[in-house]
Amino acid sequence: MAILSPFSLLAQSNNAPSSYDPHEIAITGYLQTQYQRAQSGGISSFSGGDFAKNSKDRFMIRRGRLKIDRADKYSSIVFQIDATQNGVQLMDAFIQLHQPNSKQLMFTAGLFNRPFGYSIVYSSGYRDFPERARVFQTLMPRERDLGAMISFRPDNKAFHFLTAEVAVINGSGHSARDYDSKKDIVGNLGFKFDSLANGKLHLGFGGSFYKGYVRSNTDTLMRSNGNGFIKDGSTSYTDSYAKRDYYGANLQLQYDNPLGSTSFKAEYIGGKQPGVAGSSKLAGPLASQSFSAQPETNLYLREFSGYYLWFSHRIAKTKLTALAAYDVYDPNNEVNESEIGAANNNTTSGDIKFSTLGYGMSYLINGRLKLTLYNEHVVNDKTQLPQYLDDIKDDVFTARLQYRW
């Protein structure tokens, strides 16, 4: 039974071909088919998308990835599509250039994963948990963007633990044309030590930043006053730019022990995110989602924070892995949940904090086939909004079968 370490980065990175060794066309991919049951019908969900009205259970193809790549001594090309019941969509399309005998300095251009933190670039085909945390799905939906990136990893073995990446991207996301003349900058600095404590302990950590902008197409900006939002209508904000600034830190630990292999991963992100107001036409959790098109309504400037904690344990020499996770996303750090929806403070469902407790088990049937059973308990605090007077019933159970080739 092949167990791939979280520190075998090449196979698990979306921003890499299947191999940098010169090769003709290579075809790899994975298929995830699953059954889900929600606590209520028609809920908004970050576990594979919203449920249809009046439906609380479904079969679906979560991901159907087909990746084609080729490499020679100077370059590589990667092309990946995602085929599901919703159609076929382009996922990756990029060219990488490097020196003939070195991958120390690499240039990437095209559609690729933003080099921010750990979970964004980490492939869903190898991740223990069914989905990325809510905060990353909100701020960086579909994970990709169009642009160019420079990556540096020293050839010198003494410094091979270091990886540095800087990218310039459109900022409008995976499937959108850029709607302004400014570009966003993303940077990541990572450190990985593969074999500490006689090869039993593996350590990784790093920091990231995102510096971007959102063009305003409205006269009014909504600024926080500590208890909600006030309209800043002193001047026209049309054609001005709102800052989109993130900073993040991440940690990965794996310890191989007589009881199996124990892994702990954590990541934090905070900063400023321009958004809009939650409404009947826009589900609250998406009010702070990054824009794929220029927003036409009032911009809300929010200070946010979010994090996840992932724990997994492969039980002894069995094919079973126990899973537990906890993540939090607070789109507005400056308002108390109990004040959301209060008269005249202009807060909406887009300001509500959510936390998710996940737990389950995966079974590696063979080196390619894996079964995952996983339940997510989603909690929101009480507010004064009619729809959120109590915790909404939006837990989701997932039974997933994955085949990877």
Side-chain angles (χ1 to χ4, degrees):
M1 179 180 63
I3 299 294
L4 191 63
S5 165
F7 296 83
S8 302
L9 296 180
L10 175 60
Q12 298 180 344
S13 172
N14 281 323
N15 288 342
S18 58
S19 172
Y20 281 111
D21 294 332
H23 63 272
E24 291 301 319
I25 297 298
I27 300 176
T28 57
Y30 57 96
L31 177 66
Q32 295 174 344
T33 180
Q34 63 190 34
Y35 168 79
Q36 291 184 305
R37 185 171 181 84
Q39 197 174 9
S40 305
I43 63 167
S44 296
S45 176
F46 283 79
S47 300
D50 297 345
F51 282 72
K53 184 179 180 180
N54 302 320
S55 172
K56 64 178 181 180
D57 64 345
R58 64 188 178 189
F59 289 98
M60 66 184 300
I61 303 298
R62 179 61 183 96
R63 297 176 179 91
R65 301 292 171 83
L66 183 66
K67 182 176 182 179
I68 302 171
D69 63 76
R70 182 187 183 278
D72 58 38
K73 64 179 182 178
Y74 300 100
S75 62
S76 58
I77 181 171
V78 173
F79 184 85
Q80 182 175 204
I81 60 173
D82 185 32
T84 71
Q85 68 280 344
N86 298 320
V88 179
Q89 190 173 36
L90 178 65
M91 292 303 294
D92 296 294
F94 59 85
I95 297 171
Q96 290 185 328
L97 306 176
H98 52 80
Q99 295 176 306
N101 300 314
S102 173
K103 311 298 184 300
Q104 176 173 275
L105 190 64
M106 194 172 299
F107 175 78
T108 304
L111 177 66
F112 52 85
N113 280 56
R114 302 171 180 95
F116 188 99
Y118 176 80
S119 67
I120 287 292
V121 179
Y122 194 83
S123 171
S124 298
Y126 292 93
R127 189 178 58 243
D128 288 326
F129 298 87
E131 304 296 339
R132 292 176 176 87
R134 175 185 291 254
V135 60
F136 287 102
Q137 290 193 58
T138 305
L139 300 176
M140 302 184 191
R142 305 296 296 212
E143 299 86 49
R144 279 94 174 157
D145 213 317
L146 283 156
M149 175 173 64
I150 294 177
S151 307
F152 175 71
R153 190 182 188 194
D155 284 338
N156 188 322
K157 289 186 177 181
F159 298 97
H160 204 51
F161 58 84
L162 172 67
T163 300
E165 301 163 300
V166 177
V168 179
I169 58 176
N170 282 342
S172 50
H174 161 266
S175 57
R177 291 181 293 179
D178 200 2
Y179 53 80
D180 60 36
S181 296
K182 286 184 179 290
K183 297 293 175 281
D184 295 356
I185 300 175
V186 192
N188 183 58
L189 185 63
F191 303 85
K192 293 197 179 292
F193 302 90
D194 292 344
S195 53
L196 303 173
N198 297 319
K200 295 181 179 180
L201 178 65
H202 311 276
L203 169 67
F205 58 91
S208 305
F209 74 89
Y210 187 110
K211 180 71 174 178
Y213 302 89
V214 171
R215 181 184 180 276
S216 173
N217 204 36
T218 177
D219 286 343
T220 304
L221 203 63
M222 304 296 290
R223 295 187 182 277
S224 173
N225 64 356
N227 296 311
F229 294 95
I230 56 173
K231 291 184 179 181
D232 188 344
S234 59
T235 184
S236 173
Y237 283 91
T238 302
D239 295 331
S240 66
Y241 286 85
K243 290 183 178 180
R244 177 186 176 191
D245 295 341
Y246 313 156
Y247 53 88
N250 61 85
L251 170 70
Q252 304 86 48
L253 288 169
Q254 178 180 305
Y255 180 59
D256 302 323
N257 56 81
L259 300 178
S261 182
T262 304
S263 175
F264 174 76
K265 301 175 184 180
E267 190 163 1
Y268 173 87
I269 180 173
K272 299 178 181 179
Q273 172 68 8
V276 295
S279 68
S280 59
K281 296 182 179 179
L282 182 68
L286 299 182
S288 59
Q289 189 172 62
S290 298
F291 301 108
S292 59
Q294 184 172 273
E296 301 291 336
T297 59
N298 294 341
L299 276 180
Y300 281 64
L301 299 185
R302 295 181 174 101
E303 296 273 351
F304 74 90
S305 63
Y307 64 88
Y308 67 79
L309 307 172
W310 288 348
F311 174 84
S312 61
H313 178 72
R314 180 167 60 88
I315 301 172
K317 296 182 179 180
T318 71
K319 298 180 180 181
L320 291 170
T321 299
L323 307 173
Y326 183 72
D327 72 74
V328 173
Y329 174 45
D330 188 351
N332 188 346
N333 291 332
E334 298 179 300
V335 64
N336 189 288
E337 258 39 43
S338 62
E339 295 299 317
I340 294 176
N344 301 318
N345 74 356
N346 296 306
T347 53
T348 71
S349 55
D351 300 296
I352 299 175
K353 180 173 70 173
F354 283 82
S355 62
T356 303
L357 174 64
Y359 49 90
M361 186 80 68
S362 68
Y363 178 69
L364 193 64
I365 299 171
N366 57 45
R368 299 184 182 277
L369 189 61
K370 181 172 71 172
L371 172 66
T372 301
L373 303 177
Y374 195 75
N375 190 67
E376 291 176 298
H377 176 53
V378 185
V379 176
N380 61 273
D381 292 336
K382 297 179 181 180
T383 74
Q384 297 185 42
L385 296 170
Q387 318 94 296
Y388 295 91
L389 295 175
D390 292 296
D391 178 38
I392 58 177
K393 306 303 181 183
D394 53 351
D395 296 359
V396 178
F397 169 78
T398 299
R400 173 181 294 176
L401 194 62
Q402 173 182 287
Y403 187 90
R404 190 180 69 238
W405 68 90

